[in-house]
Amino acid sequence: MTTVSDAAQVRAAQPGGGPGRSVRDSLVVAQRNLIRMKRIPEMAIFALVQPIMFVVLFTYVFGGSIALPGAPAGGVQPYREFLMAGVFAQTVTFATAGAGAGIADDMHRGLIDRFRSLPMSRGAVLTGRTLADLVQTALTMVVLAAVALLIGWRGHESIGKVLGGFGLLLLLGYAFSWIGALIGLSVRTPEAATSGGLLWLFPMTFVSNAFVPVTGMPSFLQHIAEWNPFSATVQAARQLFGNTLEGVPASVTGAWPMEHPVLASALWSVLIIAVFRTLAVRRYRSATA
């Protein structure tokens, strides 16, 4: 008994257990995924193509036709200011589908089972994967911001507020990546994970204030759009970038998230992480049990 107790005490005293071990394991898994992304550069290239296409199409094809309240008819620059926060937010959230597909692919190839056989924290596999996706999304945002500057978009607030806006966007992307992780663990193939991810992302991003003001929507959609977590982050980014327009009201229904978008965005993201990380880790344990 004494020998067993001493051995247990030695293990407890070693620095490898507890939160410290979970953090180290997560960083190792994140490094593994980042190395994989580096060796497959086309993944990053394809991730950039879609948001750049949205910027060009909405700015030069639709921008002159979308009327903003209080803006001159056919004015592209006001719409540019209005649009970019929505495109940034769409970019970080659409990365969710890729995150889910990556986890589903790891499950399909048996990599998750090999991780499970190692003496590592259970949640570290998913945490490392989502952290790696966050790094890739951040790099994508840097390139997309450069493209936005080239077409004439500008931030009109201090550098601290502008960085805060990008921080909230990345926080939302990280939160949604846990939804993608749960979907990836719940389906059998990467193709199903991609389809399942886009199935809910399209209505969430388009029933929002990202691309058009909610004033033109039916009344019931206005309420949905203004309580949408995606809309709160878009409005927060516009506010922090200094891209709000005088003719476009913050809220048409009096929704609290639109009146306090920065706080609402942070609360929504933290809540989504807390709920879906718990569900994803639980699903991971049962899927590999």
Side-chain angles (χ1 to χ4, degrees):
M1 289 293 293
T2 302
T3 303
V4 173
S5 299
D6 291 343
Q9 291 175 3
V10 169
R11 285 196 300 271
Q14 290 177 344
R21 173 181 173 180
S22 180
V23 170
R24 285 194 299 273
D25 291 346
S26 298
L27 292 177
V28 169
V29 176
Q31 183 182 24
R32 171 258 174 190
N33 283 282
L34 288 173
I35 291 173
R36 180 171 178 264
M37 293 173 185
K38 181 180 178 181
R39 292 175 177 173
I40 312 176
E42 55 267 29
M43 293 174 61
I45 294 172
F46 292 154
L48 280 171
V49 170
Q50 184 182 24
I52 291 175
M53 286 177 59
F54 268 100
V55 171
V56 174
L57 287 173
F58 274 90
T59 300
Y60 295 108
V61 178
F62 304 119
S65 303
I66 298 176
L68 297 176
V76 176
Q77 183 59 30
Y79 184 67
R80 227 177 251 147
E81 300 279 310
F82 180 86
L83 171 70
M84 283 314 305
V87 174
F88 289 143
Q90 186 193 53
T91 300
V92 300
T93 53
F94 268 47
T96 300
I103 291 174
D105 185 52
D106 288 344
M107 289 282 291
H108 183 69
R109 293 189 294 117
L111 184 63
I112 297 295
D113 290 333
R114 290 198 289 273
F115 277 135
R116 186 172 177 267
S117 68
L118 299 174
M120 62 187 299
S121 170
R122 288 288 182 260
V125 174
L126 300 180
T127 302
R129 177 80 205 198
T130 55
L131 287 175
D133 290 329
L134 179 63
V135 172
Q136 182 179 3
T137 302
L139 295 175
T140 301
M141 289 285 282
V142 171
V143 177
L144 186 59
V147 173
L149 291 171
L150 288 175
I151 67 167
W153 170 80
R154 295 293 183 269
H156 303 293
E157 295 288 350
S158 66
I159 186 64
K161 286 188 176 182
V162 171
L163 291 177
F166 282 112
L168 285 176
L169 289 165
L170 290 174
L171 181 62
L172 180 73
Y174 182 69
F176 278 18
S177 69
W178 283 105
I179 303 178
L182 180 61
I183 293 173
L185 291 168
S186 303
V187 298
R188 296 183 180 181
T189 64
E191 294 78 11
T194 301
S195 300
L198 295 176
L199 188 65
W200 64 273
L201 279 172
F202 270 106
M204 173 162 280
T205 54
F206 282 96
V207 184
S208 71
N209 60 355
F211 306 112
V212 295
V214 301
T215 52
M217 298 180 183
S219 178
F220 74 97
L221 279 184
Q222 289 178 350
H223 288 278
I224 294 174
E226 294 200 337
W227 281 95
N228 184 345
F230 184 82
S231 293
T233 301
V234 171
Q235 185 65 20
R238 285 194 184 116
Q239 182 175 305
L240 292 171
F241 293 158
N243 291 156
T244 55
L245 302 177
E246 291 184 5
V248 180
S251 174
V252 296
T253 67
W256 183 86
M258 294 295 98
E259 300 292 343
H260 307 86
V262 175
L263 178 59
S265 173
L267 290 176
W268 272 123
S269 295
V270 170
L271 179 62
I272 292 170
I273 292 171
V275 172
F276 284 93
R277 186 185 189 282
T278 301
L279 294 175
V281 172
R282 185 178 300 172
R283 177 66 181 172
Y284 169 80
R285 287 172 175 168
S286 64
T288 57

